[in-house]
Each structure stands twice: as structure tokens, then as C-alpha cells.
């Protein structure tokens, strides 16, 4: 069961009593719907009045308002078809999907709520075609019959299943976020009860675009205990609270550098540091600050306050528009350093479409190719629409 106050966010409903006439019922059957990354968003329709919500509250986001204006007739018509009574309130709930700076944002609905005048909420999966980008069957990855019947066990089991299902989507979008934030579990129509709730298994929380995602570490348990990582995490947290590089922090960092032959733990460590005020510059822990050239891409990623860089391609004499991307594991590990030594910029931008950056690399021409690439960094960065 979902309450009227919860319909503006993707929220797990309340489990009913799992007993009937003193007998424990069978575990429910659920279907998995992959969920894009983005803040919770909703469109509420009361009569012909439309209200937009983001992060659970009424929103004046201009991009969202533009989407609603473009589809206003379809939204009102669809809401009219969904109402059971003239005074029913219809809320379409999903996420605001915008992870690529070069793509237009959109509203991605997942759940339909119809709320009666007396507050009764009827909820079901969104599988209609109201927007021209709707594809009702897309992202639905099959059914799962559960053996457990405990509400707590069901939620925890489905959360782990969500982590397993989305685990293969490891690449990141240009903004630095993963494309999927979890799975929404919809009860199968042939369950024995009518009041099996929708379950939302979020693996991290999408916050405002200037913040880092808040990962739920319990969803990603390590396969084996890792004392070095545990000590580093604790030391990093302590250093953050004290706002200084502590001896314990230095010791934990050095332990991973010395012990990690494969480089896996070091890659993990640099990723953890990217969410903090601290970084690594030429082998030493430092407080992140603006950097000047000459500097490698990995040094810039690991020690500066820059969030990412622009990557530009030139074929023969034609240069394509640069694309911004947040720093990723490859950038931090030094994989691209052989072609990305950045120097202080010597000439102004060649066009209005080229970002006015402080640093740029030389053009790198691959052997046997007419295509050249270069990196640029430290300038006005693009923003997401949330």
C-alpha cells in the first residue's frame, strides 16, 4: 500500500499481512524493471491542472516545464483515461533522465498512481505510450519467484538482486554517473493477493548535479574481507572530519601503494579519493587545488579541483565539437597519459563552440591514421538540468 504523500517519489509500499487463515502464504512473484539514474520526478494531473515535482517537491525546473508543455495534450488525455472518477488525482512517477550534456533531458515514468478523493491509492506499472520516446517493454528483464515471505528479507534479497542485474552496466555517462541506479520490482498479476506492493531497489541516490552520488555500501559487499581498504576508508573519513592529512591517512595510503601489485586496490583508492577533498600528486597525498601545466591527465584528475576534461577529435583539417566527460578510472590510472600532457593554453579558442580552457594537450596522431585527438581542461564546465 502506498499513501498519497508518497506518490511523488519512487517509494516502496507497505507489505500486507503474509498470513491467511493462520497459514503463511507463498512468496510473491516480481518482475524487474531497470531504472535510469536521475532524481525522483513526478507529473500530477488534477482535472486540467498539471504540476511538476522533482526530488519529491513542486518544481519550477524550466527543462521539465518545457517537456510538460510539449506533451500537455497527451498528458491530460492520458490522465483522463486513467481516472476512475472525475475527482481522482493522477500522478505519474519516475525519474528526470539527463546524464549526457549533449542530449536533451526527458521525464522517464515508471509508476502510475490514481488517488481517489478519500485517499485510496491504486498503483501499477507505467506501460503506455504517452511520450514519443516511450517503449513499454524496454528495460523489463523477467520475473522472479521468491521463497522468502518476510518483508525485511524480501526487500534485502531484491536489493541484492538489483545489484547483480545492474552489475554488468559498469560504464559511466559523461557526467560521471552510472546509467542505471537500480531496479523497480512490480508484482506479477498472478500473485495470490491483490495488495502486494511495488518495491524500489535503489543502489545509490541521485542528488543535485553539483554533488556526488551517495552510494549504499551495504549493497556492494566485498567478496572477502579487505583490511587495507577498510583501514583506508576509516582513515579517509577521519581525515575529512579533521580537514587535514593525518598520519593514519598517510599510513593507510602507503600500505595500499606498497601491497597492491595488481593495481586493483589502487584504482579503487583513487576512485574513493575523487569524492573527497584529498588527492594524490606525484606520489604524495595532497589537498585538491587548481593546477597549472605542464601536467598529465592523471595528475589533473587525482590532485586538482577539476571534475573532468574535454576530448576533441580532428580528421584531416576538420575538428569536431569537443565533448566534456567527468574523469573516470582510466583517466585517474594514467592510461591516457601517453597522449595527454596538458600545457598552459597558448592561443584563444578557435571558435565560440570551443571551451575557453586554461590547459590543453598537443594533437596526438595515431600511427597510420588521419584522425588526431587532444584534451582540454579547466574552464566553464557544462551542467546537467537538475
Amino acid at each position: 500500500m502506498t499513501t498519497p504523500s508518497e506518490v511523488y517519489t519512487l517509494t516502496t509500499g507497505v507489505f500486507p499481512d503474509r498470513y491467511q487463515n493462520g497459514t503463511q502464504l507463498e512468496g510473491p512473484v516480481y518482475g524487474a524493471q531497470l531504472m535510469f539514474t536521475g532524481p525522483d520526478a513526478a507529473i500530477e494531473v488534477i482535472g486540467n491542472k498539471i504540476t511538476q515535482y522533482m526530488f519529491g517537491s513542486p518544481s519550477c525546473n524550466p527543462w521539465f516545464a518545457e517537456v510538460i508543455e510539449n506533451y500537455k495534450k497527451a498528458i491530460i488525455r492520458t490522465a483522463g483515461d486513467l481516472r476512475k472518477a472525475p475527482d481522482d488525482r493522477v500522478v505519474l512517477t519516475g525519474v528526470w533522465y539527463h546524464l549526457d550534456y549533449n542530449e536533451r533531458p526527458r521525464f522517464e515514468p515508471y509508476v502510475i498512481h490514481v488517488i481517489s478523493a478519500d485517499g485510496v491509492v491504486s498503483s501499477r506499472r507505467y506501460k503506455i505510450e504517452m511520450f514519443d520516446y516511450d517503449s513499454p517493454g524496454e528495460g523489463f528483464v523477467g520475473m522472479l519467484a521468491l521463497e522468502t515471505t518476510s518483508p525485511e528479507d524480501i526487500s534485502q534479497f531484491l536489493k541484492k538482486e538489483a545489484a547483480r542485474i545492474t552489475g554488468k552496466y559498469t560504464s559511466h555517462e559523461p557526467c560521471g554517473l552510472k546509467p542505471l541506479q537500480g531496479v523497480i520490482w512490480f508484482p506479477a498479476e498472478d500473485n495470490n493477493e491483490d495488495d502486494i506492493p511495488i518495491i524500489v531497489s535503489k543502489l545509490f541516490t541521485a542528488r543535485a548535479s553539483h554533488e556526488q552520488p551517495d552510494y549504499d555500501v551495504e549493497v556492494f559487499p566485498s567478496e572477502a574481507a579487505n583490511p587495507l581498504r577498510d583501514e583506508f576508508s576509516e582513515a579517509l573519513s577521519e581525515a575529512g572530519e579533521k580537514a587535514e592529512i593525518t598520519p593514519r591517512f598517510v599510513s593507510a595510503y602507503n600500505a595500499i601503494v606498497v601491497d597492491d601489485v595488481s593495481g586493483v586496490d589502487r584504482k579503487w583508492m583513487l576512485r574513493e579519493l575523487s569524492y573527497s577533498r584529498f588527492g594524490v600528486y606525484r606520489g604524495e597525498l595532497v589537498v585538491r587545488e587548481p593546477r597549472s601545466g605542464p601536467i598529465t591527465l592523471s595528475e589533473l584528475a587525482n590532485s586538482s579541483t577539476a571534475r573532468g576534461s574535454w576530448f576533441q577529435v580532428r580528421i584531416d583539417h576538420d575538428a569536431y565539437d569537443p565533448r566534456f566527460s567527468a574523469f573516470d578510472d582510466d583517466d585517474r590510472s594514467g592510461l591516457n597519459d601517453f597522449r595527454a600532457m596538458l600545457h598552459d593554453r597558448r592561443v584563444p579558442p578557435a571558435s565560440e563552440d570551443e571551451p575557453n580552457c586554461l590547459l590543453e594537450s598537443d594533437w596526438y596522431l595515431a600511427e597510420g591514421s588521419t584522425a588526431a585527438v587532444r584534451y582540454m581542461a579547466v574552464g566553464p564546465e557544462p551542467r546537467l538540468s537538475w
Side-chain angles (χ1 to χ4, degrees):
M1 178 184 298
T2 302
T3 67
S5 62
E6 296 174 330
V7 297
Y8 305 108
T9 58
L10 293 170
T11 307
T12 295
V14 178
F15 277 89
D17 188 352
R18 300 297 300 163
Y19 290 86
Q20 195 173 74
N21 299 324
T23 303
Q24 189 174 32
L25 299 172
E26 295 179 357
V29 177
Y30 276 99
Q33 170 72 54
L34 297 174
M35 177 171 48
F36 284 125
T37 293
D40 286 357
I43 295 175
E44 177 188 67
V45 186
I46 303 176
N48 290 331
K49 179 185 177 183
I50 302 175
T51 305
Q52 65 189 45
Y53 287 76
M54 195 174 292
F55 296 105
S57 300
S59 168
C60 58
N61 184 296
W63 292 95
F64 200 176
E66 181 180 342
V67 169
I68 290 176
E69 182 62 29
N70 289 342
Y71 294 96
K72 186 175 182 178
K73 291 183 179 179
I75 293 171
I76 292 175
R77 182 176 63 250
T78 300
D81 294 339
L82 293 170
R83 290 192 193 96
K84 300 175 183 177
D87 54 356
D88 283 349
R89 173 165 44 119
V90 176
V91 179
L92 308 171
T93 307
V95 300
W96 183 246
Y97 181 47
H98 188 209
L99 302 182
D100 188 336
Y101 305 106
N102 302 293
E103 297 291 333
R104 294 190 67 81
R106 72 186 195 218
F107 171 63
E108 192 74 29
Y110 292 115
V111 184
I112 298 171
H113 299 291
V114 179
I115 305 99
S116 66
D118 56 2
V120 176
V121 182
S122 174
S123 305
R124 67 180 187 270
R125 180 185 168 216
Y126 178 93
K127 50 180 179 179
I128 56 180
E129 295 184 58
M130 187 175 70
F131 302 103
D132 57 12
Y133 52 79
D134 282 335
S135 181
E138 187 177 23
F140 201 77
V141 293
M143 310 300 290
L144 180 66
L146 304 182
E147 296 181 0
T148 181
T149 58
S150 161
E152 295 79 11
D153 290 344
I154 288 175
S155 293
Q156 189 62 25
F157 177 78
L158 291 181
K159 203 167 189 180
K160 291 180 179 178
E161 279 296 300
R164 183 187 65 80
I165 292 171
T166 61
K168 58 184 177 180
Y169 300 95
T170 56
S171 62
H172 289 71
E173 297 289 348
C175 67
L177 291 171
K178 292 183 179 180
L180 299 176
Q181 66 173 326
V183 170
I184 302 179
W185 301 92
F186 292 96
E189 296 178 356
D190 57 355
N191 280 302
N192 293 328
E193 301 98 311
D194 296 328
D195 201 18
I196 302 296
I198 294 168
I199 298 180
V200 180
S201 297
K202 286 188 179 181
L203 307 182
F204 60 90
T205 302
R207 296 183 175 181
S209 60
H210 63 278
E211 299 181 23
Q212 292 290 350
D214 181 20
Y215 287 94
D216 183 349
V217 295
E218 293 183 359
V219 176
F220 305 101
S222 57
E223 297 180 358
N226 191 322
L228 292 179
R229 288 193 183 189
D230 293 342
E231 171 61 15
F232 181 84
S233 295
E234 293 178 11
L236 174 59
S237 177
E238 180 184 83
E241 293 174 359
K242 295 182 177 181
E244 64 180 33
I245 298 173
T246 64
R248 181 187 181 187
F249 187 24
V250 174
S251 177
Y253 165 76
N254 289 334
I256 288 183
V257 171
V258 171
D259 184 79
D260 184 30
V261 177
S262 67
V264 173
D265 286 340
R266 182 176 181 274
K267 181 181 291 186
W268 169 87
M269 178 177 63
L270 293 175
R271 190 185 312 129
E272 293 295 297
L273 286 172
S274 70
Y275 301 135
S276 76
R277 70 179 70 191
F278 306 110
V280 178
Y281 187 60
R282 297 176 181 175
E284 300 291 335
L285 286 172
V286 296
V287 176
R288 290 180 178 272
E289 62 182 35
R291 301 285 176 184
S292 59
I295 189 170
T296 66
L297 190 69
S298 63
E299 288 174 338
L300 190 69
N302 292 322
S303 70
S304 79
T305 52
R307 292 191 311 113
S309 66
W310 281 263
F311 180 79
Q312 188 175 29
V313 176
R314 184 184 70 190
I315 299 179
D316 294 329
H317 298 291
D318 298 324
Y320 292 86
D321 291 340
R323 295 294 183 97
F324 180 85
S325 181
F327 292 127
D328 60 17
D329 285 350
D330 288 347
D331 296 327
R332 289 186 288 267
S333 67
L335 187 66
N336 296 317
D337 281 354
F338 72 98
R339 61 182 181 186
M341 174 65 74
L342 287 92
H343 306 273
D344 295 334
R345 190 157 196 169
R346 296 179 287 272
V347 295
S351 69
E352 293 182 358
D353 296 329
E354 186 177 305
N356 187 13
C357 295
L358 300 177
L359 301 172
E360 65 180 0
S361 72
D362 295 329
W363 287 100
Y364 173 81
L365 183 64
E367 185 177 352
S369 173
T370 61
V373 298
R374 69 166 174 168
Y375 290 83
M376 294 177 286
V378 190
E381 298 177 358
R383 308 295 297 180
L384 296 175
S385 61
W386 47 278

